[in-house]
Amino acid sequence: MKILDSKGRLFGKMSILDLGAALVILLVVVGIFFFPGTSGSIAQIGVPTKPIEVDVVVRGLSIRNPQELIKEFQTRKKTNIIIRNQPYGQVEIKSVRELPRSVLVPQPDGTVKALPDPRKDIFSTDLLITLAGNARITENGPVLGNSKIKVGTPVELEGLEYNFNASAIDLRIKS
């Protein structure tokens, strides 16, 4: 009896292509269940946790009364944050400051000056908010929840009466 016949079957029973496909499927199943590798989570055991402060800036927040929002931040002292569409939980609000609005005005000599915005009812404000929380400090930087936090990271702030986006502009790791 021949090992391989004229139709490409092993011992006249099974096609060599079918055997190859079955072997590949078996290797994939063994690889998934017996060698799963890393879980993909950046959470690690034994990574130090330290308090950090993150300054976030909010540009052009459409709001009728920014003083009411600032007062809410100062009374509640907590907000929920979402980093890169991953909910983290609550962090402490250390400080909130309204940034002055300015406009660029060309001067007769060709230079440009930033002058206070004379418009009063523009319903747009800029805020600088300092948030505080505990982060795992990895070799790639601080991690809040399962998301790295770095300068430029988009952060969403959510509370009872607000939900808006901000951007991280400064990080301070406390020791």
Side-chain angles (χ1 to χ4, degrees):
M1 179 173 197
K2 291 183 177 181
I3 295 177
L4 196 61
D5 68 4
S6 65
K7 293 183 179 179
R9 295 183 295 201
L10 289 173
F11 304 110
K13 304 248 185 220
M14 181 183 286
S15 169
I16 196 165
L17 293 175
D18 292 340
L19 182 66
L23 186 62
V24 167
I25 290 171
L26 179 67
L27 288 174
V28 168
V29 168
V30 167
I32 288 173
F33 291 112
F34 293 109
F35 303 102
T38 59
S39 65
S41 171
I42 56 176
Q44 299 171 1
I45 297 173
V47 176
T49 301
K50 292 186 177 179
I52 66 166
E53 287 184 355
V54 180
D55 288 339
V56 296
V57 68
V58 182
R59 292 275 183 201
L61 179 62
S62 298
I63 186 168
R64 179 183 295 269
N65 189 352
Q67 297 308 318
E68 287 295 318
L69 180 64
I70 292 171
K71 189 164 61 169
E72 181 179 346
F73 282 144
Q74 291 169 343
T75 57
R76 291 196 190 268
K77 295 283 191 191
K78 297 264 186 199
T79 187
N80 294 315
I81 66 168
I82 301 165
I83 305 168
R84 293 189 182 112
N85 294 326
Q86 297 294 318
Y88 168 68
Q90 284 195 335
V91 293
E92 181 184 352
I93 299 172
K94 294 286 259 186
S95 67
V96 180
R97 184 170 55 120
E98 187 173 3
L99 299 175
R101 305 241 344 144
S102 61
V103 292
L104 299 175
V105 179
Q107 300 299 305
D109 63 356
T111 60
V112 177
K113 277 188 179 180
L115 298 175
D117 193 350
R119 300 173 294 172
K120 296 298 178 201
D121 294 330
I122 56 173
F123 303 114
S124 179
T125 190
D126 298 338
L127 299 172
L128 178 64
I129 304 171
T130 302
L131 305 172
N134 291 319
R136 290 187 313 276
I137 308 303
T138 65
E139 61 188 31
N140 295 327
V143 177
L144 285 173
N146 285 331
S147 300
K148 293 181 214 172
I149 184 87
K150 297 183 178 192
V151 171
T153 301
V155 176
E156 186 176 341
L157 301 175
E158 182 178 28
L160 216 60
E161 298 175 354
Y162 60 88
N163 184 340
F164 56 84
N165 294 323
S167 182
I169 60 168
D170 192 21
L171 280 161
R172 291 177 299 284
I173 300 172
K174 303 294 181 178
S175 48

